[in-house]
Amino acid sequence: MGLISFIKDAGEKLFGHGTAAAAPAPSAPAVPAASVGDLNAKAGAAIKTYIEAQKLGITGLDVTYDGASTTVTLKGQAPTQEASEKAALAAGNVSSVTQVDNQLSVAAPADASQYHDVVKGDTLSAIAKKYYGDANKYPKIFEANKPMLSDPDKIYPGQKLRIPPAG
């Protein structure tokens, strides 16, 4: 699937509070190499746990996080294109992540989805109108982004949504 860009400060807050923290960027004060590696490993583990909580059926999931580039790399086997795309969205819609390198292999490849970056004032109806020409098709977008979305009225600026093919 390749590299997908995200907004760094938008998304789930998985890092901090003693659990896992993003390793500092190169311009930040020096941190011992072992500490940086530990922080990256903890952040990767937190993102992996978050993806696994989505119950997407991915086997052999390996998640690495590089705090210097704020990039997550995903490896493993996804059962469908949809599961692969949802895993990438789950990883990317985490605060402090700007890119996801989705290297998941897909057992049942299909047409790739488009993506939409939510801006202030967006609604699922307006997004459906833009991509499908029909505001009443918003449930298709909502379903395509479950379980990351729990309510069609709860989207936020900076979030990236999966827009499945119209068919």
Side-chain angles (χ1 to χ4, degrees), residues 14-72:
L14 299 184
F15 306 145
H17 302 95
T19 312
S27 62
V31 174
S35 296
V36 170
D38 290 346
L39 290 173
N40 285 339
K42 287 179 183 177
I47 294 168
K48 179 179 180 180
T49 298
Y50 181 61
I51 293 170
E52 289 174 337
Q54 308 304 315
K55 300 186 185 330
L56 301 172
I58 296 171
T59 56
L61 180 61
D62 180 48
V63 178
T64 56
Y65 178 75
D66 176 19
S69 66
T70 62
T71 300
V72 172

